Amino acid sequence: MKLTALSIALSLALAGAAPLQAEPSPANPKPAKPTATPAKPAPAKSFVPLDPLAAIQKANAYFNAATNMIGDFIQIGPDGRRSEGKIFVQRPGKLRFEYAPPATLEIVADGLSVAVHDRKTATKDIYFISQTPLKFLLKDQVDLSRDVKIIDVKSEPAAVTILVEDKATFGGTSQIKLVFDPAKFTLKQWQVTDPQGYETRVSLFNIDLSKKPDPNLFQITQEKLLNTNN
């Protein structure tokens, strides 16, 4: 019995346990200190929409600084069909959309004309740049207030959108909605509504404004068209 009690006492002592009998409490115990109240988190900053005029000025500054552009795009057509590829821009006037298979289109602007080439049918349609809805984006100096009619400007936490109208496009009046990232104010999407009311949406990804595209990408020649059919 004594050995058992001794073993229990040693084990409790080595473990740093409290004694088996509680110590008497003091006659006048000190009051417990009040627990500190946790600090309230700082309130989130309320969203302040961008002034429409400031949004237009930021858009002009972005386009005029983006002399070169290389990136990826995803296009959703009027029928909901999705296609994707590479986009190349060299302002003023030069643009190229390279659609990845199974799409067979290639769109090239050489500074004067825009060629829409279908590799499957070996046909091409050529238009003046002035007839295309995105012509103002290819100008040497972009001024949205001067180049197109501004219909609406919206500033929201997720995007800044500028809706413009162009009455000089092929077939009649087109509307173009430009969508910008509000943090960096870079163009991330546009949506074109043609004179018949059909909508095409293009989203941009992996945009590089520092590299200059190969000038040969913007040539509209018969040799180039024949080579794409090989």
Side-chain angles (χ1 to χ4, degrees), residues 19-133:
L20 294 178
Q21 293 183 350
E23 295 181 356
S25 57
N28 297 316
K30 295 181 180 180
K33 294 182 179 180
T35 305
T37 304
K40 294 182 179 180
K45 293 183 179 180
S46 59
F47 170 69
V48 179
L50 191 63
D51 178 76
L53 181 58
I56 294 170
Q57 291 173 342
K58 283 179 173 288
N60 290 338
Y62 169 78
F63 288 128
N64 290 324
T67 304
N68 301 305
M69 178 188 294
I70 299 176
D72 302 316
F73 72 88
I74 294 177
Q75 175 179 302
I76 307 297
D79 57 356
R81 187 174 301 176
R82 169 186 166 131
S83 54
E84 58 186 66
K86 299 285 292 186
I87 181 174
F88 305 88
V89 177
Q90 186 176 357
R91 295 179 46 250
K94 297 178 180 179
L95 170 74
R96 182 185 183 93
F97 283 95
E98 283 188 357
Y99 289 81
T104 59
L105 286 180
E106 179 182 84
I107 300 175
V108 180
D110 64 357
L112 296 174
S113 304
V114 178
V116 180
H117 173 223
D118 190 329
R119 296 187 295 270
K120 182 177 181 180
T121 61
T123 59
K124 66 175 179 178
D125 296 316
I126 297 181
Y127 307 89
F128 292 113
I129 286 182
S130 60
Q131 296 176 297
T132 62

